[in-house]
Amino acid sequence: MRTNLRMAGLALAAFATAWSGLSKAAEIPKSDEVKQSGALTVANTVDFAPFEYLDADGKQTGIIIDLAGEVAKALDAKLDVQRIPFPSMIPGLAAGRFKIAWETFSATPERLKQVDFIMFLKAGIAVSTTPDKKDSLSADNGLCGKRIGATGGSASDFLIDKLSKDCTDKGQAAIQKSLFNSTADSTQATLSDRIDARMDDATASSYFEVTSKGQLVVLPKLYEVAPLGMAIAKDDKGTADMMVAALSELFKNGTYKTILEKYGMGAYAIKEPYFVNSMDALRAD
């Protein structure tokens, strides 16, 4: 009798778990395309680590690939990643060749004339240095008087000038700027102590921290922070509602943060995914 009751209890628990999963999937609205095909199709570029790239075994991986895989699971759909050159993505969406271009787009007035966005990340410019200098550079006015490098002509190049002026306006020493031809050059200069730190795109800097096993570490402060998102076809409410709902589930259950932290990108999480069809819809976080 006890065995039968125990078996019945286990069966009931298994049914409840399965029903919970089905109920959860049912709460996420599916676009007509996903309903008909059973697949979540996304356009994506070939190689832009840590967002998408091929690992040592030739397998697709990266932040976007992992997130897309989890969204497909939440929709009970198969993931279909189509490799599209970056410049062809927004024109392809506008022409109706696909419904989702999952990249790290910035919303601009020009782009918003052709597509809408779903924001899922933020990025900016960051400073990275050797571990022994992190604390001193992280202090208030920590960059003032220090040797900071950047790629010539980049956004970081101009930001250093702005921050240096802030230093002198406060009576602090100006930043000693050094310009380099490439990220690799400024990285090597930092590692060899020819400069104290380098300034670059925050996501690329964080990824190097992970892949280099902490030879350089990223300071906690981000500059010129802006949201990033996937692009979807203009006025495609079905796809927009589906992707916001599916991503919201990943945010709530911790999967989103886990994936970002796997690639050293936890600092670039936002509070929740959101839809953008005009510049007024962008949020500061």
Side-chain angles (χ1 to χ4, degrees), residues 12 18 21 55 140 162 168 179-180 222 235 273:
L12 182 60
D55 65 15
D140 290 343
K162 177 182 175 182
T168 56
L179 296 179
F180 298 88
L222 288 179
D235 300 323

Side-chain angles (χ1 to χ4, degrees), residues 49-113:
F51 298 104
E52 60 270 331
Y53 61 97
L54 300 180
D55 65 15
D57 298 322
K59 181 182 176 182
Q60 294 176 353
T61 190
I63 292 171
I64 289 174
I65 302 302
D66 288 3
L67 285 173
E70 292 297 329
V71 167
K73 286 181 187 177
L75 295 169
D76 193 25
K78 177 184 176 182
L79 177 62
D80 177 21
V81 178
Q82 298 184 0
R83 296 301 184 184
I84 305 291
F86 187 83
S88 301
M89 287 190 165
I90 288 181
L93 278 170
R97 290 197 289 272
F98 41 85
K99 300 286 188 181
I100 303 169
W102 200 333
E103 266 305 328
T104 51
F105 289 101
S106 297
T108 65
E110 294 75 17
R111 286 172 173 171
L112 283 165
K113 292 176 183 177

Side-chain angles (χ1 to χ4, degrees), residues 1-223:
M1 182 66 174
R2 288 181 181 176
T3 300
N4 290 340
L5 288 172
R6 182 173 179 274
M7 293 295 291
L10 289 172
L12 182 60
F15 175 78
T17 300
W19 175 255
S20 175
L22 288 172
S23 176
K24 179 174 157 184
E27 292 171 0
I28 299 175
K30 295 182 182 180
S31 67
D32 290 341
E33 183 182 55
V34 171
K35 287 177 184 176
Q36 293 167 9
S37 67
L40 174 68
T41 301
V42 300
N44 182 253
T45 57
V46 177
D47 188 9
F48 183 44
F51 298 104
E52 60 270 331
Y53 61 97
L54 300 180
D55 65 15
D57 298 322
K59 181 182 176 182
Q60 294 176 353
T61 190
I63 292 171
I64 289 174
I65 302 302
D66 288 3
L67 285 173
E70 292 297 329
V71 167
K73 286 181 187 177
L75 295 169
D76 193 25
K78 177 184 176 182
L79 177 62
D80 177 21
V81 178
Q82 298 184 0
R83 296 301 184 184
I84 305 291
F86 187 83
S88 301
M89 287 190 165
I90 288 181
L93 278 170
R97 290 197 289 272
F98 41 85
K99 300 286 188 181
I100 303 169
W102 200 333
E103 266 305 328
T104 51
F105 289 101
S106 297
T108 65
E110 294 75 17
R111 286 172 173 171
L112 283 165
K113 292 176 183 177
Q114 302 179 73
V115 298
D116 294 328
F117 294 96
I118 296 170
M119 299 305 180
F120 68 97
L121 199 67
K122 66 182 177 183
I125 296 174
V127 176
S128 55
T129 187
T130 49
D132 58 302
K133 297 177 182 176
K134 181 179 180 181
D135 289 343
S136 63
L137 290 172
S138 298
D140 290 343
N141 304 317
L143 301 184
C144 297
K146 299 299 192 297
R147 303 165 298 165
I148 310 297
T151 301
S154 67
S156 298
D157 177 0
F158 303 113
L159 177 59
I160 291 174
D161 293 339
K162 177 182 175 182
L163 295 176
S164 185
K165 185 178 184 304
D166 290 343
C167 289
T168 56
D169 287 348
K170 296 174 183 177
Q172 303 287 329
I175 294 173
Q176 302 173 49
K177 182 173 75 171
S178 295
L179 296 179
F180 298 88
N181 291 326
S182 68
T183 293
D185 290 343
S186 63
T187 297
Q188 187 56 44
T190 309
L191 291 170
S192 61
D193 196 35
R194 286 185 283 130
I195 57 176
D196 296 306
R198 60 182 296 274
M199 188 173 281
D200 199 359
D201 175 78
T203 54
S205 299
S206 292
Y207 186 59
F208 182 79
E209 179 177 342
V210 173
T211 56
S212 71
K213 300 186 180 347
Q215 290 184 62
L216 292 183
V217 294
V218 178
L219 303 191
K221 184 171 182 177
L222 288 179
Y223 300 91

